[in-house]
Structures are given as C-alpha cells and as structure tokens.
C-alpha cells in the first residue's frame, strides 16, 4: 500500500453487503473504512480502536457519554466499551484503526 484515499476506500464498499471493509493490516494494526446506512449496529470490539471521521457529522456514544462529532475528528474507544454513531448524516463515513492485543493495551 502506498496510499489510501477516502474515494478509493468508499468505492471498495460498492456491491458489498457489509458497511465496512478492511483495507490494510500490518502487525497488530488493521485499517478499515466504515459507512453504515441509517443505523450503526456495532457491538463492542475486543481491541482498542481509533476513528478518524472522513465525512459527515452526528453523535457518538462512547460508554456513558454522548457527544457531537464532525469531519476530521479523532475518537478513541477502549476495547470492550459499548459505542455507536447516532443521528449521523447520510454522507457519514469514518476510517477505523484497530490495534494492540485483544482486551486492549494497559493504560
């Protein structure tokens, strides 16, 4: 991989029945594109993750908090924490970076 662009990432979702696609992995790092339609059905993940909002806006539930998000924002979710995107715009998409061991890294 020399470059990952949002346009290429989003076009890789065309014709797929899932709202995400893994695009790169190296060691413990996995990079995905994620573009849910209408509702975010996520369940907690086993590894720490970072979202970088590529487009759109809405609200992000992360454990007990619910905050607005917008394009360009970076969001962190520790392994095992309930989280989801809510009330997001139709153009919403995000990069997802999973890393580290199952159960998350120690603080």
């Amino acid at each position: 991989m020399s470059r990952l662009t949002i346009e290429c990432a989003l076009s890789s979702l065309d014709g797929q029945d899932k709202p995400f696609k893994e695009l790169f992995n190296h060691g413990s790092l996995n990079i995905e594109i994620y573009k849910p339609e209408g509702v975010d059905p996520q369940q907690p993940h086993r590894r720490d993750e970072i979202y970088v909002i590529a487009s759109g806006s809405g609200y992000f539930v992360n454990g007990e908090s619910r905050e607005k998000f917008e394009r360009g924002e970076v969001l962190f979710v520790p392994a095992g924490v309930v989280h989801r995107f809510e009330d997001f715009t139709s153009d919403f998409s995000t990069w997802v970076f999973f890393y580290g061991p199952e159960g998350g890294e120690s603080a």
Side-chain angles (χ1 to χ4, degrees):
M1 172 198 78
S2 59
R3 296 179 64 215
L4 280 177
T5 66
I6 191 63
E7 292 81 13
C8 288
L10 289 172
S11 68
S12 75
L13 292 171
D14 292 345
Q16 246 195 204
D17 59 344
K18 296 179 183 175
F20 63 91
K21 183 168 184 180
E22 183 178 295
L23 301 169
F24 178 80
N25 63 60
H26 178 79
S28 75
L29 174 65
N30 297 88
I31 301 174
E32 297 181 356
I33 189 69
Y34 183 54
K35 185 173 180 17
E37 299 294 329
V39 174
D40 178 4
Q42 289 191 80
Q43 298 296 312
H45 302 286
R46 291 183 241 158
R47 299 191 312 155
D48 293 334
E49 63 185 305
I50 292 174
Y51 292 100
V52 178
I53 307 303
S55 58
S57 61
Y59 288 87
F60 185 61
V61 174
N62 189 353
E64 298 296 316
S65 72
R66 184 178 191 262
E67 303 288 333
K68 285 186 177 183
F69 73 84
E70 61 187 35
R71 183 178 59 84
E73 196 161 342
V74 176
L75 305 167
F76 170 73
V77 181
V81 172
V82 172
H83 63 284
R84 69 188 164 281
F85 295 93
E86 295 181 336
D87 301 324
F88 47 87
T89 56
S90 62
D91 65 335
F92 167 64
S93 65
T94 186
W95 295 105
V96 185
F97 299 80
F98 290 102
Y99 67 94
E102 288 196 12
E105 294 186 342
S106 19

